[in-house]
Each structure stands twice: as structure tokens, then as C-alpha cells.
Amino acid sequence: MPTCLPLVRRRCHSCASELFRPSGKFRVNANHKLIDAWLLVLCTGCGVTAKLTLLERVTVRSIRPELLDLLHHNDPGLTAALLQDPVVQRRNRIALDWDDAWRLDTDGSEHLDRETIDVAVRFAARIPVRPVRLIADGLGLSRAEVDRLITEGKIVSAVRLSGKLSGDFTFTLKR
């Protein structure tokens, strides 16, 4: 579950920093019947403002009125959605840094004494996380211990547990 907006990985032109913090504010500019819109981000090093292009020279009539209202009112939900949009990320050549921007909610550990445990992991947002880290945090184990259990075949899943995932998955823990 996300706890805050992720940082934006992009090189700052004023300092050596590569991280920007989303301000949650939009800049909308209209020129006759054409409109431009940007999401403003602030450098974590020097505080300089950069713009992430959302709309560029688009006719006003082609934009949904609800979207335009959300842009004008600096909607935080729209900020989160647009940051995760692959088109926006590709257009602006950015990546998201989700470190310390999410938390793991578990139902508790009352079932850990069973011989076999089936666990379903559901993502509240598309946050790329290493499954080994999720399993280690959820079960209170070290990552090395989880890696050992995977190697021994005591943690089994239909998906590959190495690398990063951002979608729901299930795994089985055998004691």
C-alpha cells in the first residue's frame, strides 16, 4: 500500500541531484484553442522547479471537462495516477523511486504455526517491489533466509520471485 507519492528520478540541471519530489501542483496554459499542462516537481537537492509534460498543444475541446477541473484544482489523486502512467514516464524520460513510499499490511501471524500456508499478496497500487523483500517483511525473516527457503523449495510460487513485481501474486510456504 502506498504511503506517499514516489520520488521522480530525473537529472537536475542546476545541481548534481537526481531526485525530484512531486509538488502536487499543475501548470495549465492556454493559447487560443490549444492547451498545455505540466506537473511541477521540486529538486530534493536545490529546490529548483521542473515541469513534466502532460499535455502539449492539445485542443481544449478534446480534453474531458472533468480532467480539466482536476488539473485546475491540483487534485492529488490525479498526480498519483499521472506519475504512474507509462506514457508520461516515457515522454518525460523519468523513473519512479518507491523507496520508503509504501508499507506492508498483513492480517497477522496467527497462521505461521501451520505446516503449509497459502499466502495471497494484493497490491493497492502498481508499486514495483521485490517479492523476496515482501515475504521477508511479512514473515519477519531475513532476505537471506527467504532466499534459502526458495532454493530449498519451501517457498513455491507460480510467478518468478526474483526481480520485481507490481501485480498480485500468491505463494505457498511449507514448514
Side-chain angles (χ1 to χ4, degrees), residues 40-60:
L40 302 179
V41 292
L42 306 170
C43 177
T44 58
C46 64
V48 75
T49 302
K51 298 185 288 188
L52 302 180
T53 304
L54 304 174
L55 301 172
E56 194 169 33
R57 310 305 268 162
V58 177
T59 57
V60 176

Side-chain angles (χ1 to χ4, degrees), residues 22 24-27 37-41 50-54 79 83:
K25 298 187 186 285
F26 297 96
R27 168 107 198 285
W38 301 275
L39 173 63
L40 302 179
V41 292
K51 298 185 288 188
L52 302 180
T53 304
L54 304 174
T79 301
L83 278 175

